[in-house]
């Protein structure tokens, strides 16, 4: 079990009136708060650069919203959000429960939920068979198109 300590420093400025001089001045006070968080389902990296954790997906209602790299999200596109990989990186996502795989392109940042390693578009989630579940255990690894056969690549995930 892994515990993480998060220390938040906040600065509070209190304006007080000086009754004798009629001036206002600020006193700087620091407050320190310590929070303990239990990390549950923390993503792990296993041998070969494969990341294992939980995936979720964007609802269809998010279609048309801008992603972090400026693209518009479309529910049928095979795209995803990842915290660390560069925009445009191709990732192979494998559903651990049923063995289905899909190749997606990183075009957004996130997910910000604990234990989540990737947010998939609705189309990618449908290809993995996780629509009814909402979340699924997955393995994510960087996909190199030079090493794979052409029959594996989806048509809309590779740029010109």
């Amino acid at each position: 079990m892994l515990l993480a300590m998060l220390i938040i420093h906040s600065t509070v400025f209190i304006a007080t009136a000086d009754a004798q001089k009629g001036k206002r001045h600020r006193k700087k006070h620091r407050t320190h708060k310590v929070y303990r968080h239990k990390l549950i389902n923390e993503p792990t990296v296993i041998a070969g650069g494969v990341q294992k954790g939980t995936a979720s997906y964007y609802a269809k209602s998010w279609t048309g919203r801008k992603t972090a790299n400026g693209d518009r999200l479309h529910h049928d596109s095979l795209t995803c959000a990842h915290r660390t990989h560069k925009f445009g990186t191709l990732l192979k996502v494998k559903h651990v429960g049923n063995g289905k795989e899909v190749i997606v392109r990183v075009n957004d940042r996130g997910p910000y939920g604990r234990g989540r390693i990737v947010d998939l578009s609705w189309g990618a989630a449908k290809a993995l068979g996780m629509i009814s579940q909402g979340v699924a255990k997955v393995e994510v690894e960087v996909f190199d198109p030079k090493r794979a056969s052409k029959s594996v690549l989806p048509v809309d995930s590779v740029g010109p």
Side-chain angles (χ1 to χ4, degrees):
M1 189 177 308
L2 194 60
L3 294 176
M5 298 290 290
L6 176 66
I7 300 174
I8 299 175
H9 298 279
S10 61
T11 304
V12 179
F13 289 95
I14 301 174
T16 59
D18 191 347
Q20 296 165 345
K21 297 182 181 178
K23 295 181 181 178
R24 294 179 62 102
H25 63 278
R26 292 182 178 186
K27 290 183 180 179
K28 190 173 179 180
H29 299 282
R30 288 191 184 259
T31 58
H32 303 284
K33 295 182 180 178
V34 177
Y35 297 97
R36 290 183 180 221
H37 294 282
K38 191 185 287 186
L39 297 179
I40 302 170
N41 294 330
E42 181 178 300
T44 58
V45 178
I46 55 179
V50 178
Q51 201 175 18
K52 192 172 183 178
T54 307
S56 55
Y57 66 92
Y58 292 113
K60 274 187 173 181
S61 60
W62 282 58
T63 296
R65 293 187 187 189
K66 277 192 175 183
T67 60
N69 73 344
D71 291 347
R72 295 277 180 186
L73 183 68
H74 192 270
H75 65 272
D76 286 335
S77 64
L78 296 177
T79 59
C80 72
H82 197 276
R83 290 182 194 165
T84 57
H85 288 295
K86 292 181 180 180
F87 294 136
T89 303
L90 295 178
L91 301 177
K92 181 169 75 170
V93 181
K94 179 182 178 183
H95 189 300
V96 175
N98 61 18
K100 292 183 180 180
E101 296 179 349
V102 67
I103 309 298
V104 293
R105 182 178 53 89
V106 177
N107 73 339
D108 202 3
R109 289 290 168 233
Y112 300 108
R114 289 190 301 179
R116 307 280 168 90
I117 58 172
V118 67
D119 269 338
L120 300 168
S121 64
W122 188 87
K126 184 177 179 183
L128 287 177
M130 61 177 275
I131 295 292
S132 61
Q133 300 162 350
V135 295
K137 296 287 184 190
V138 295
E139 292 179 355
V140 177
E141 64 181 318
V142 176
F143 180 75
D144 187 9
K146 295 176 185 175
R147 293 185 180 182
S149 65
K150 293 183 179 181
S151 62
V152 176
L153 289 174
V155 177
D156 63 345
S157 69
V158 178

